Amino acid sequence: GEDVEQSLFLSVREGDSSVINCTYTDSSSTYLYWYKQEPGAGLQLLTYIFSNMDMKQDQRLTVLLNKKDKHLSLRIADTQTGDSAIYFCAESYSSASKIIFGSGTRLSIRP
Amino acid sequence: EAGVVQSPRYKIIEKKQPVAFWCNPISGHNTLYWYLQNLGQGPELLIRYENEEAVDDSQLPKDRFSAERLKGVDSTLKIQPAELGDSAVYLCASSRGTPDTEAFFGQGTRLTVV
């Protein structure tokens, strides 16, 4: 079946790197996503990676994919207070098909 | 470009009452999704439209939930009658529906059933 697992909470010091981990079960997933949700707001797509890629970097964000272990991670460099949010890992077979979301990781920033 | 617009933002109703949510997708987006997000969880798909056709409604509780997208643009999601367990955020999203395109989410409607 389809399932996406991620830890519920992460606390990091401002300026440090944050690493949010995720595992998924559907080996046919083609797209793997990271969404950000701030309080009272909708979901914002941060980045996505195709299943045939190992890594994608976009400014402060680095996504690593281990397809063999079905493990996805999001690294946020130089974490800022504005990065406080819930981060959802998600997968889909195609960009138009349904997206399966994890339960979200709440990232909090310590001064 | 305007984003996905949902209304109302908040709704409080008594159980057994009907309720409807409205979504206006981004212009030109053929694919429209309704997701349900319970507190502390990720969104779960209720229904997906390609233009006016519902192509995936397998997770929609059809005994009390209904949805329509008559002209392939705006969409409404209805619950009748509402139950306490329906309290959640209802998210609408849209995409162009072609490969390699992003789904954009609205801010959601927070429903509280009392």
Side-chain angles (χ1 to χ4, degrees), chain A residues 10-88:
Chain A
L10 177 66
S11 176
V12 299
R13 194 185 306 273
E14 186 176 3
D16 287 352
S17 292
S18 305
V19 180
I20 304 172
N21 294 301
C22 165
T23 57
Y24 61 98
T25 57
D26 190 355
S27 58
S28 65
S29 294
T30 304
Y31 293 78
L32 297 143
Y33 309 87
W34 284 104
Y35 281 85
K36 177 182 181 181
Q37 187 175 41
E38 295 178 273
L43 290 158
Q44 174 196 357
L45 179 65
L46 283 179
T47 185
Y48 67 93
I49 189 170
F50 295 112
S51 59
N52 61 358
M53 298 169 64
D54 298 324
M55 187 185 85
K56 182 177 181 181
Q57 187 157 2
D58 184 2
Q59 299 182 348
R60 292 192 298 123
L61 305 178
T62 303
V63 178
L64 294 178
L65 173 62
N66 181 328
K67 193 173 182 180
K68 174 177 172 291
D69 294 338
K70 300 190 186 70
H71 182 267
L72 185 73
S73 68
L74 173 69
R75 178 177 179 269
I76 305 172
D78 187 24
T79 308
Q80 304 297 308
T81 55
D83 295 324
S84 292
I86 300 176
Y87 291 81
F88 290 94

Side-chain angles (χ1 to χ4, degrees), chain B residues 13-109:
Chain B
I13 61 170
E14 293 183 343
K15 63 181 179 183
K16 299 184 183 180
Q17 295 301 306
V19 64
F21 314 124
W22 176 79
C23 172
N24 180 231
I26 293 173
S27 177
H29 282 196
N30 299 324
T31 304
L32 183 145
Y33 315 76
W34 282 104
Y35 282 86
L36 163 71
Q37 186 175 20
N38 286 305
L39 186 65
Q41 296 183 25
E44 299 174 20
L45 181 71
L46 288 173
I47 189 167
R48 175 168 65 95
Y49 282 93
E50 295 290 344
N51 298 304
E52 66 274 9
E53 182 183 359
V55 296
D56 184 355
D57 63 354
S58 56
Q59 301 302 310
L60 189 73
K62 298 181 182 64
D63 57 335
R64 297 185 300 108
F65 286 65
S66 64
E68 60 183 16
R69 193 186 185 198
L70 292 176
K71 296 183 179 179
V73 181
D74 294 2
S75 177
T76 55
L77 178 68
K78 298 177 182 177
I79 308 175
Q80 182 170 13
E83 297 178 352
L84 295 176
D86 297 330
S87 295
V89 175
Y90 293 82
L91 293 165
C92 179
S94 71
S95 72
R96 290 194 183 278
T98 56
D100 303 341
T101 59
E102 175 184 349
F104 293 84
F105 283 79
Q107 292 185 297
T109 297

